[in-house]
Amino acid sequence: MSSEKEQRLREKLLPEIEEFKAQRSTLQLATLDADGLPNASYAPFALADDGFYILVSELARHGTNLKASKKLSVMLVEDESESKSVFARKRLTFDATAEIVARDSETFTKGVAALSNRFGEMIDNLAALNDFNLFKLNPHQGLYVKGFGQAFSLSGAELLDIDWKRDGHHGSPKEMIVEA
């Protein structure tokens, strides 16, 4: 694809992806425990200029898993009631690493503030509990699926490099780790 076409695609899709993220309140998590067993769950999130933030209890399975393994997969998905077809729901998936945020850091203050602005004072109450940890999720490569035949791989800093997946949205294991 020419750089001019890539630029037009980026200018069209990036605002759409940002709007899609802003419309979601929760993200789906696929985490691994210490033995490598997967677990699917979800968490409310806030997006700041440096990544996604979630506040989860270490008493929850996904909270324990995030402390055991930094690797996870994340999905934001269109609600079934909003979708034209349940077979082609809009979704954004990406591989990420989870970084536990130290309570006495500026990043902790920033992440809790972002969550609190989005969800209210309940966040401040949860953040004060010792079993709740703030995690910053750092996305790597991802995939945005708009519908049938409309899958776009995302890579680079902040997932700003876009490539239209014309050969299907699964890709090969070397090209694409994230699958829809």
Side-chain angles (χ1 to χ4, degrees), residues 56-122:
V56 296
S57 171
E58 60 190 42
L59 301 176
R61 186 171 170 192
H62 58 273
T64 302
N65 289 355
L66 288 171
K67 289 179 86 173
S69 174
K70 293 180 177 189
K71 295 179 182 180
L72 73 152
S73 182
V74 176
M75 180 171 68
L76 288 83
V77 62
E78 178 180 44
D79 189 276
E80 291 176 10
S81 65
E82 299 169 2
S83 178
K84 294 177 186 173
S85 169
V86 293
F87 294 100
R89 290 164 65 190
K90 284 184 188 177
R91 58 203 177 270
L92 172 64
T93 59
F94 54 86
D95 290 338
T97 53
E99 170 188 337
I100 194 163
V101 179
R103 287 183 174 272
D104 60 351
S105 69
E106 288 181 29
T107 305
F108 187 87
T109 303
K110 177 183 185 174
V112 169
L115 285 160
S116 186
N117 287 339
R118 194 154 197 214
F119 299 107
E121 77 177 77
M122 182 175 190

Side-chain angles (χ1 to χ4, degrees), residues 141-176:
Q141 68 184 42
L143 187 71
Y144 179 58
V145 178
K146 289 180 60 165
F148 292 114
Q150 298 180 69
F152 303 89
S153 63
L154 306 171
S155 61
E158 300 179 32
L159 303 179
L160 297 178
D161 297 328
I162 298 174
D163 181 41
W164 187 3
K165 301 296 290 178
R166 292 188 177 105
D167 59 347
H169 60 266
H170 291 284
S172 70
K174 289 181 183 175
E175 293 174 19
M176 177 63 60

Side-chain angles (χ1 to χ4, degrees), residues 6-22:
E6 287 176 3
Q7 183 62 30
R8 283 196 314 261
L9 182 61
R10 190 176 297 113
E11 287 172 1
K12 180 181 179 197
L13 279 181
L14 289 178
E16 180 179 324
I17 292 169
E18 290 305 310
E19 180 181 346
F20 181 75
K21 289 190 289 191

Side-chain angles (χ1 to χ4, degrees), residues 125-145:
N125 295 333
L126 294 175
L129 299 174
N130 288 335
D131 66 301
F132 273 80
N133 293 300
L134 181 70
F135 289 91
K136 180 176 170 242
L137 306 181
N138 302 301
H140 303 298
Q141 68 184 42
L143 187 71
Y144 179 58
V145 178

Side-chain angles (χ1 to χ4, degrees), residues 4-42:
E4 187 177 309
K5 286 183 182 179
E6 287 176 3
Q7 183 62 30
R8 283 196 314 261
L9 182 61
R10 190 176 297 113
E11 287 172 1
K12 180 181 179 197
L13 279 181
L14 289 178
E16 180 179 324
I17 292 169
E18 290 305 310
E19 180 181 346
F20 181 75
K21 289 190 289 191
Q23 292 170 345
R24 308 290 140 229
S25 297
T26 61
L27 44 77
Q28 314 302 307
L29 304 169
T31 60
L32 298 171
D33 71 11
D35 296 323
L37 295 173
N39 173 247
S41 59
Y42 82 97

